[in-house]
């Protein structure tokens, strides 16, 4: 099983210990917030723009990546996702998608679910994780 560590910084997302070393994606959560989000929650249009930027960056590095089964991290935002879903120490791709869909509903006008984390950094990291899991066929994320 090939598990890869992930680290989120304000200016980049880093996949650690890949074959050949670390892979840096030029998609930092704070950079995306500063450049694309104008209010306390992203609009559907802003969300789509962020998704396109992330997809382009994933496409740039995808050919250099090994097959990744699971992402592992000690990131507090990932722990917050897992705690919200009451899922032990891991979260599946399906659970990430369900969580993203809750945010999609909120930014489309539905009420905010109770206790749903809603900081911009949390939302953008959720989008980054969702896109990584989806486009790289990764099973999920585990925190330690």
């Amino acid at each position: 099983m090939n598990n890869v560590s992930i680290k989120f910084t304000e200016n980049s997302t880093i996949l650690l210990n890949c074959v050949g070393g670390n892979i840096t994606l030029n998609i930092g959560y704070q950079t995306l917030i500063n450049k694309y989000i104008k209010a306390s929650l992203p609009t559907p249009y802003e969300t789509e723009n962020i998704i396109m930027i992330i997809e382009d960056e994933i496409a740039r590095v995808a050919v250099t990546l090994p097959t990744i089964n699971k992402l592992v991290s000690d990131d507090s935002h990932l722990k917050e996702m897992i705690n919200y879903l009451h899922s032990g120490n891991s979260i599946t791709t399906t659970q990430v998608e369900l969580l993203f869909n809750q945010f999609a509903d909120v930014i489309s006008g539905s009420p905010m679910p109770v206790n749903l984390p809603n900081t911009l950094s949390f939302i953008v990291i959720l989008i980054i994780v969702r896109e990584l899991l989806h486009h790289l066929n990764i099973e999920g994320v585990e925190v330690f």
Side-chain angles (χ1 to χ4, degrees), residues 3-9 13-16 70-80 82 89-91 125 129 140-144:
N3 294 342
V4 171
S5 296
I6 189 166
K7 179 179 179 180
F8 303 98
T9 73
T13 299
I14 306 165
L15 300 174
L16 304 159
K70 191 174 278 191
L71 296 174
V72 295
S73 182
D74 65 351
D75 181 77
S76 62
H77 295 95
L78 295 175
K79 289 178 182 177
E80 199 172 7
I82 289 167
N89 69 337
S90 63
I91 187 170
I125 288 174
V129 169
V141 180
E142 187 174 307
V143 297
F144 51 90

Side-chain angles (χ1 to χ4, degrees), residues 20-72:
N22 299 339
I23 304 290
T24 300
L25 294 95
N26 298 315
I27 46 172
Y29 65 90
Q30 194 62 53
T31 301
L32 292 169
I33 291 167
N34 293 344
K35 195 168 183 179
Y36 297 103
I37 301 175
K38 306 294 183 237
S40 61
L41 284 176
T43 65
Y45 177 76
E46 291 168 339
T47 302
E48 282 303 316
N49 280 340
I50 290 170
I51 289 170
M52 286 189 309
I53 296 301
I54 294 168
E55 288 173 339
D56 288 347
E57 188 61 13
I58 292 170
R60 181 185 69 80
V61 302
V63 295
T64 64
L65 292 173
T67 299
I68 301 171
N69 297 97
K70 191 174 278 191
L71 296 174
V72 295

Side-chain angles (χ1 to χ4, degrees), residues 75-86 91 99 115-119 121-123 143:
D75 181 77
S76 62
H77 295 95
L78 295 175
K79 289 178 182 177
E80 199 172 7
M81 284 179 209
I82 289 167
N83 288 337
Y84 175 74
L85 294 169
H86 307 289
I91 187 170
L99 186 55
N115 299 323
L116 182 65
N118 62 359
T119 64
S121 57
F122 178 88
I123 294 167
V143 297

